[in-house]
Structure formats: C-alpha cells, structure tokens
C-alpha cells in the first residue's frame, strides 16, 4: 500500500484486475484532514459494478446504504458505506481502511492499524466517481477519485 502523505483530499480507489477470474485488486486511500489512511483488498468485479450502480441512483432510496467491503479472514481492510445525511441531499461516505501485519515472523504479527473517516459529498460527485469506477474496470485498470464537499451538515 502506498503512503498517504500528500494524498489529495477525498477518496481515491485504484482498480487493477487479477487475471481473468473476474476479481480485481482495489487500493483505497482517503484523506479527510487531519486524518488519512489506506487499505488494500480484492473484490468480485460484479460486486464492484453493482456498487457503482447503487451509488449512481438519484435519489438514493429511503434507508439505502450502498456498501463495498473487502477483508482478510475476519478483518475488514476496506469499508465504504454511502448514506444520506440531510433531507436536502447531502451525502456522506463512511470510510474504514485497515492494514494488517501478516508477517508471522514480525513481533507485530496480526496487528491492525486502521482509520475511520466521514467524507461529505454530493449526488453529482458520487455519480462521477461511480462512472470513473466503471471506466477503470472497463479499461482493465485505472483510478476513480471522489473529492470532499466542504459543505457543513445543514
């Protein structure tokens, strides 16, 4: 996983297919100052495509919380959940990113370092992000970015 130092504000998802099995690697980083984090996981292409479709819905159905999660064993390494914050259309992405030390010879083996953030966004930004996710899959690799919306909860 790359360093998040100097990462652009917002959410970045880089997709890379893993062979022809319909599975891809997602490298996810988020920066919501003063916090930042990164995580890595593997997703079924159909699940990623369904997530992109769900977050493109306007408006999100009442109570809908489209989510994408990856993990190692029972530990989530990437968790993205979208939900409506206000009745005026303000949306948020709950971001959970984790890195697990899997080196059995390390004194910190099994240690999990993680970050939780809330990224405010809009329907248009989320739609553009979903379009970029699908484009990354169709191009057999690429990056989607979701910038932060600086609006307050109101």
């Amino acid at each position: 996983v790359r360093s998040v130092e100097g990462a652009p504000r917002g959410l970045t998802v880089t997709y890379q297919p893993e062979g022809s099995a319909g599975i891809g690697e997602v490298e996810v980083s988020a920066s919501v100052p003063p916090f930042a984090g990164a995580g890595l996981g593997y997703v079924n292409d159909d699940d990623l495509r369904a997530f992109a479709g769900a977050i493109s819905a306007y408006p999100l159905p009442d109570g809908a919380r489209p989510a994408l999660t990856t993990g190692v064993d029972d530990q989530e390494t990437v968790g993205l959940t979208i939900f409506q914050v206000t009745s005026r259309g303000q949306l948020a992405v709950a971001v959970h990113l984790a890195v697990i030390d899997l080196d059995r010879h390390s004194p910190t083996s099994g240690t999990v370092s993680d970050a939780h953030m809330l990224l405010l966004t809009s329907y248009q930004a989320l739609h553009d992000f979903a379009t970029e996710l699908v484009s990354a899959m169709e191009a057999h690799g690429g990056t989607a970015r979701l910038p932060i919306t600086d609006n307050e909860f109101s």
Side-chain angles (χ1 to χ4, degrees):
V1 175
R2 293 186 195 119
S3 168
V4 294
E5 191 172 314
R9 289 170 29 115
L11 178 69
T12 302
V13 176
T14 300
Y15 169 85
Q16 188 64 44
E18 289 289 313
S20 60
I23 295 172
E25 177 186 85
V26 288
E27 184 176 312
V28 181
S29 63
S31 176
V32 181
F35 304 102
L40 180 73
Y42 294 88
V43 296
N44 179 300
D45 290 350
D46 291 338
D47 292 342
L48 186 57
R49 193 169 274 107
F51 174 72
I55 66 175
S56 295
Y58 177 81
L60 284 178
D62 285 343
R65 295 175 74 92
L68 179 69
T69 60
T70 70
V72 174
D73 295 327
D74 292 336
Q75 176 62 51
E76 182 178 81
T77 57
V78 172
L80 306 175
T81 304
I82 286 72
F83 58 95
Q84 189 167 325
V85 177
T86 69
S87 60
R88 295 185 354 201
Q90 179 73 59
L91 302 173
V93 181
V95 179
H96 176 227
L97 301 170
V99 177
I100 306 166
D101 183 353
L102 297 174
D103 181 356
R104 293 186 316 216
H105 304 292
S106 168
T108 59
S109 180
T111 301
V112 177
S113 300
D114 67 344
H116 294 264
M117 291 165 265
L118 190 65
L119 186 149
L120 296 179
T121 191
S122 66
Y123 277 105
Q124 184 61 54
L126 203 55
H127 179 270
D128 294 346
F129 175 71
T131 300
E132 289 178 6
L133 276 177
V134 172
S135 293
M137 291 178 66
E138 290 173 352
H140 304 290
T143 299
R145 291 183 178 82
L146 180 64
I148 293 174
T149 299
D150 289 320
N151 297 4
E152 294 293 321
F153 294 105
S154 55

